[in-house]
Amino acid sequence: MKCPNCGAEMADNTLYCEQCGEDIHIVPDFEPELEQNLQQTIIGIMEDLGQGTDEGREAKEQECKEEWEEEDEEEDGEDEDFYYQRPRKKHLIWKILLGLLLVALCVTGVLGVRAYRYNSLDYQIKAAIQNVRQQQYDKAIACYNRAIELDSTDIELRFGLAEVYLQKNNKVEYEYLLRDIARDPDATTEQLDRAYGKLIAIYRDRKDYQTINDLLLNSGNEQMISTYQNYIARPPEFSVNEGYYTSIQPLKLTAFGTGKIYYTMDGSTPDETSPQYTAPILLEDGDYIVKAVFINENGTVSDVEEKEYHIENDEILAPELSAGSGTYYSPTYIRVLSDTKNVYYTTDGSNPTYASNVYTGQIPMPLGRSTYKFAQIVDGVTGTVTERNYELVLGTDLTPEQAVAAVAAYSLASGKIRDEAGHFDDTNALYLYEYLYVANINKQGDYYVIVEVLCAEDGTLTRTGSAYGVEVYTGELKKVLRDEQGRLTLEEIEANTNSQEGESPQGGE
């Protein structure tokens, strides 16, 4: 098959020439010339029917009269007018019938062509495409609209019409059609992705991120929401449901996407000037109205989430201690006499936290001045803090440093170490001795407790389990052990000069 326009070879059933782009119509185009020819034909027929000028009509009558006079000149007794009118009438009837038939055929053909084209989906689509190529956008729009009337289920037709409006720079209709496609329940995932992608491109160019957020959230399409989640600002989620509570509630706020959460607790609407959420909010005693908003990295603001809470929490009492603040002149233990569960303490003057020392048993009071703070921490809430200031003074000239030197001298004399540095073999490992605390051991006397520490070649320090006691007032040296109940006991050095076993005491009795 060859193209009638350019002569190029065409595949069978092809609707337009790939070489020149000309459409190949099954039914010929209706041209203005055809209509003009039909009109002239009808005029001619009407003239033949006697609707022309008077001169023409009279000439025709004379012609007919002469013809019939020759044929009937031998017939006698007949009226001349009768013979004249009979053939004339017969001749006109045939012409009328023939003319009416020809007019009917012409009109039927014209109407048939027009009806075919108007009701042909393929023709309307091809005409729309050709008009777009020729930049006749209004005609293309008319063809696409008719095609959509013929098949309203074809979503691709709406995409085509939208693109024509875009080329006309009619962005209102372009956006309207894309939104119509996005709302269509019969649109495929691919078509939805195209529609949302084009819409988002429109609003992104305008930097209208709030409209993108609203468009996606109102769609109810979780797949689209997930695909374009970076454009969405959903309200923060609260870890605690609103209501009545009888204990402290640590409230956590989380958000979907990248951005920041801001909150208020005074009833005002949160914004970028409000406190930023960075850690759980502790709801202790009283009534709370917590409002939170999420602002993503594009500056899109979510709806405000609001919850109300009523907290009635029992007071967390301060720990009760065995030793009050003051000066002490003999070794003393500090004990917690109240509930010891979840009790934390510090010795640097700071308030206790979860990172502070955990109270596990009595604590030997250190020499000199010290400050202790104790508090119970429950569900992240710190109770009332107990603070004590101590000073422990012993009536002796023997210092803890001298006690450590005495233990090191004993280890050197007994062969435990080879030199004063603490080497015990050919490696660089050392035995070191460290003062731990002063305590009254089993009511036998007050002793500086010294523990042995192994310093490996890499500098790692590990207690060996050996411990010594140096009597505070006399300097007497003994081994310190623990009995089966975990209490400190003393053992004479002379009786176990070759024994290096024992357990390092971690606290008092």
Side-chain angles (χ1 to χ4, degrees):
M1 177 178 177
K2 291 187 177 181
C3 173
N5 182 54
C6 68
E9 288 294 333
M10 297 174 53
D12 293 340
N13 300 322
T14 302
L15 297 179
Y16 68 93
C17 177
E18 295 182 355
Q19 184 69 24
C20 66
E22 183 70 20
D23 286 338
I24 307 302
H25 302 294
I26 298 173
V27 178
D29 284 342
F30 181 72
E31 302 294 344
E33 292 79 1
L34 175 60
E35 184 175 359
Q36 183 177 1
N37 292 337
L38 288 173
Q39 189 175 21
Q40 292 296 329
T41 301
I42 293 172
I43 292 173
I45 292 171
M46 296 302 293
E47 290 178 351
D48 288 342
L49 293 177
Q51 301 300 318
T53 64
D54 291 341
E55 294 180 358
R57 184 165 55 251
E58 291 176 357
K60 198 70 177 178
E61 288 177 353
Q62 181 63 34
E63 180 182 348
C64 289
K65 183 176 180 180
E66 292 175 355
E67 179 182 345
W68 283 98
E69 283 178 350
E70 292 177 359
E71 293 179 358
D72 298 333
E73 61 183 358
E74 297 178 357
E75 295 184 12
D76 296 326
E78 297 289 340
D79 189 340
E80 185 176 318
D81 290 336
F82 171 80
Y83 286 104
Y84 159 69
Q85 293 186 11
R86 183 180 51 161
R88 177 173 175 270
K89 290 180 180 180
K90 184 177 180 181
H91 185 73
L92 288 175
I93 289 172
W94 279 107
K95 284 195 173 185
I96 290 171
L97 292 176
L98 181 61
L100 291 174
L101 177 61
L102 182 57
V103 170
L105 290 175
C106 291
V107 171
T108 301
V110 171
L111 294 178
V113 171
R114 289 182 174 178
Y116 163 77
R117 293 177 176 178
Y118 187 71
N119 293 292
S120 171
L121 178 62
D122 288 340
Y123 177 83
Q124 295 295 336
I125 294 173
K126 289 188 298 177
I129 294 173
Q130 185 167 351
N131 284 322
V132 170
R133 291 176 186 157
Q134 296 172 355
Q135 298 183 358
Q136 297 179 357
Y137 299 124
D138 289 336
K139 291 183 179 180
I141 290 171
C143 291
Y144 268 124
N145 280 325
R146 178 55 186 161
I148 292 172
E149 289 178 3
L150 294 171
D151 186 1
S152 61
T153 64
D154 191 342
I155 295 175
E156 291 301 322
L157 294 177
R158 278 178 275 170
F159 272 116
L161 179 57
E163 291 302 319
V164 178
Y165 277 119
L166 180 61
Q167 292 187 50
K168 278 197 68 177
N169 202 31
N170 188 339
K171 295 184 179 179
V172 173
E173 289 294 336
Y174 175 67
E175 180 181 338
Y176 171 80
L177 285 165
L178 292 176
R179 279 182 171 268
D180 184 60
I181 295 170
R183 290 190 297 265
D184 195 322
D186 296 326
T188 65
T189 301
E190 187 273 334
Q191 289 170 333
L192 288 175
D193 191 52
R194 268 196 289 156
Y196 277 104
K198 292 175 182 294
L199 284 169
I200 289 171
I202 294 173
Y203 303 131
R204 186 176 57 237
D205 290 342
R206 300 178 192 167
K207 299 190 182 301
D208 187 0
Y209 297 105
Q210 190 67 49
T211 298
I212 297 176
N213 173 76
D214 298 340
L215 173 72
L216 292 170
L217 291 181
N218 293 334
S219 72
N221 190 316
E222 290 300 325
Q223 182 169 344
M224 292 300 107
I225 291 174
S226 177
T227 301
Y228 299 102
Q229 59 181 308
N230 290 336
Y231 293 101
I232 294 175
R234 282 179 168 173
E237 295 183 358
F238 285 51
S239 64
V240 181
N241 293 327
E242 63 180 357
Y244 174 86
Y245 293 89
T246 58
S247 61
I248 304 300
Q249 298 298 314
L251 174 62
K252 296 180 181 178
L253 305 178
T254 55
F256 181 82
T258 305
K260 297 178 181 179
I261 299 174
Y262 299 91
Y263 71 97
T264 62
M265 300 179 68
D266 58 1
S268 62
T269 300
D271 55 27
E272 289 180 292
T273 64
S274 304
Q276 181 183 343
Y277 173 82
T278 57
I281 304 168
L282 296 179
L283 305 178
E284 300 179 334
D285 282 303
D287 294 316
Y288 298 89
I289 299 177
V290 182
K291 295 182 179 182
V293 68
F294 174 67
I295 303 178
N296 69 14
E297 57 187 0
N298 295 319
T300 305
V301 182
S302 75
D303 292 336
V304 175
E305 187 71 10
E306 176 182 344
K307 293 189 183 298
E308 296 186 17
Y309 302 93
H310 177 76
I311 311 295
E312 289 186 6
N313 182 49
D314 294 334
E315 182 183 3
I316 302 176
L317 300 176
E320 184 181 352
L321 304 181
S322 61
S325 297
T327 302
Y328 291 81
Y329 297 96
S330 62
T332 303
Y333 289 105
I334 305 169
R335 298 182 180 89
V336 175
L337 303 178
S338 55
D339 184 8
T340 62
K341 185 179 180 181
N342 299 319
V343 173
Y344 297 80
Y345 71 94
T346 63
T347 59
D348 60 1
S350 62
N351 289 328
T353 65
Y354 279 127
S356 303
N357 301 305
V358 180
Y359 178 81
T360 58
Q362 59 187 7
I363 304 168
M365 185 182 296
L367 284 170
R369 295 179 182 274
S370 60
T371 298
Y372 280 78
K373 287 187 177 182
F374 290 82
Q376 196 171 23
I377 304 176
V378 180
D379 295 330
V381 180
T382 302
T384 305
V385 176
T386 299
E387 180 178 350
R388 295 289 185 268
N389 296 300
Y390 303 113
E391 183 179 12
L392 177 58
V393 179
L394 299 179
T396 178
D397 295 330
L398 183 64
T399 65
E401 292 75 16
Q402 291 172 327
V404 169
V407 173
Y410 163 75
S411 292
L412 182 62
S414 64
K416 179 78 178 284
I417 57 177
R418 296 180 178 180
D419 53 38
E420 293 182 355
H423 293 96
F424 56 87
D425 57 19
D426 295 333
T427 68
N428 290 324
L430 305 171
Y431 280 132
L432 304 177
Y433 298 95
E434 178 184 329
Y435 165 73
L436 204 59
Y437 51 78
V438 60
N440 183 275
I441 299 178
N442 204 20
K443 298 182 180 180
Q444 296 181 30
D446 300 332
Y447 286 84
Y448 294 122
V449 177
I450 312 297
V451 294
E452 184 180 72
V453 177
L454 172 63
C455 179
E457 289 185 283
D458 61 0
T460 302
L461 300 177
T462 307
R463 290 183 182 178
T464 65
S466 296
Y468 302 88
V470 178
E471 216 281 333
V472 170
Y473 303 103
T474 65
E476 183 181 9
L477 179 64
K478 294 187 177 182
K479 294 280 289 183
V480 176
L481 305 173
R482 286 188 181 275
D483 60 17
E484 295 178 355
Q485 287 75 37
R487 295 175 300 181
L488 294 179
T489 62
L490 296 171
E491 187 176 274
E492 297 292 335
I493 279 291
E494 292 78 11
N496 283 291
T497 55
N498 295 324
S499 175
Q500 304 299 334
E501 300 299 324
E503 182 178 352
S504 175
Q506 301 302 310
E509 298 177 346

